[in-house]
Amino acid sequence: MLVEIKFTVRLDLPKEHTAITNGMSSEVEAGYAQIVKCGSTVEVSGQFDHNDEGKMRGGGDFDAQCEQAFKNIDKRLAEIGATRNQIVHTEVLIVNIRNNIEKLNAAHKKFFGSYRPASACWGVVALGMPGAQVEIKFTVRPDLSKAPKTYSHGLPWEDAHNYSQVVVTNETAWIFGQFAHDDEGNPIGEGDFEKQCKAAFANLDVSSGDRSHTQSNCARRCYGCRSE
């Protein structure tokens, strides 16, 4: 298998939706928009270390690339009149994850401060933008009047990366990518793919709870779960 394409469909929306582009050549070449408004939810394409013309800025410096990517996130937020605390989920792709994950964690934490969105991070061999080492995609709820309710499990990497296990809005719960770990965050099933899958799905059950995911429900379903 050489290609896999992931996508999201909103069946409750009319065929026409609001898409915002910034006039970059990559948008035309790849056929995508920077921002798509889907009712109360806004999906924003992955942000790189690029300027307004779509050209890379930071060279091979990962820290510089992270800084510019987060600046671009602020620009996208300004375009839709949203704030950082209305970001409910981030997805991060980075090259050379073992060397760069701590740098990413520091940048993510600095950007969001005390607020913690749900998040997921993947290490990749390369990214679509030549020379890029980091790409950050995110989901926004501009309709929220205050930061959404978040739930954490007291795991060490939650603080390191500054994320929540679950972010809950009125009708949706965004859940952080689940690993094979125990209640204290220790890895389970090292080298055993089937054991890791089983543990990851078990943790997904713990984090998902039911659709409402109220405080009492969270306390019942989640180990060491705290509301923030």
Side-chain angles (χ1 to χ4, degrees), residues 114-140:
S114 60
Y115 172 62
R116 295 182 175 187
S119 183
C121 178
W122 294 275
V124 296
V125 175
L127 292 166
M129 187 77 75
Q133 298 184 57
V134 60
E135 178 180 4
I136 306 171
K137 176 190 179 300
F138 59 102
T139 303
V140 190

Side-chain angles (χ1 to χ4, degrees), residues 22 25 32 49:
N22 296 135
S25 59
Y32 74 92
D49 164 46

Side-chain angles (χ1 to χ4, degrees), residues 6-228:
K6 174 185 178 294
F7 59 97
T8 302
V9 181
R10 284 285 301 270
L11 299 177
D12 60 317
L13 298 177
K15 292 182 179 180
E16 296 298 325
H17 57 264
T18 302
I20 299 174
T21 59
N22 296 135
M24 296 191 303
S25 59
S26 60
E27 296 171 347
V28 177
E29 293 167 359
Y32 74 92
Q34 288 290 328
I35 298 169
V36 175
K37 296 181 179 180
C38 309
S40 59
T41 302
V42 178
E43 299 288 351
V44 184
S45 293
Q47 299 299 300
F48 296 96
D49 164 46
H50 60 268
N51 60 18
D52 293 342
E53 288 72 45
K55 296 180 180 179
M56 299 295 291
R57 298 169 57 101
D61 188 324
F62 184 84
D63 289 329
Q65 288 204 17
C66 269
E67 182 179 1
Q68 184 60 40
F70 280 112
K71 285 182 179 179
N72 288 337
I73 290 176
D74 273 338
K75 289 182 179 181
R76 303 293 85 80
L77 290 172
E79 290 169 359
I80 58 175
T83 66
R84 296 177 182 182
N85 284 4
Q86 291 171 320
I87 295 176
V88 293
H89 184 248
T90 64
E91 296 181 23
V92 187
L93 304 176
I94 60 174
V95 175
N96 198 354
I97 190 169
R98 297 305 174 199
N99 288 343
N100 292 326
I101 185 63
E102 291 186 4
K103 298 176 183 178
L104 170 68
N105 287 346
H108 195 274
K109 193 169 187 176
K110 179 180 178 181
F111 182 79
F112 285 103
S114 60
Y115 172 62
R116 295 182 175 187
S119 183
C121 178
W122 294 275
V124 296
V125 175
L127 292 166
M129 187 77 75
Q133 298 184 57
V134 60
E135 178 180 4
I136 306 171
K137 176 190 179 300
F138 59 102
T139 303
V140 190
R141 285 292 300 269
D143 61 311
L144 299 177
S145 59
K146 59 181 180 180
K149 183 173 290 188
T150 63
Y151 298 91
S152 299
H153 294 170
L155 299 173
W157 54 78
E158 293 172 346
D159 183 63
H161 188 58
N162 201 62
Y163 75 86
S164 298
Q165 288 289 333
V166 183
V167 174
V168 181
T169 59
N170 293 334
E171 75 294 336
T172 306
W174 282 266
I175 300 174
F176 179 83
Q178 299 299 302
F179 298 97
H181 59 77
D182 63 16
D183 293 3
E184 284 73 45
N186 301 310
I188 294 175
E190 183 175 358
D192 189 321
F193 182 79
E194 291 184 356
K195 284 185 178 179
Q196 289 199 19
C197 278
K198 183 177 180 179
F201 278 112
N203 287 335
L204 182 60
D205 277 340
V206 167
S207 290
S208 61
D210 66 13
R211 186 175 180 182
S212 61
H213 209 291
T214 62
Q215 173 61 40
S216 60
N217 177 275
C218 183
R220 175 169 56 85
R221 301 237 182 191
C222 299
Y223 50 83
C225 186
R226 67 175 185 270
S227 175
E228 298 179 341

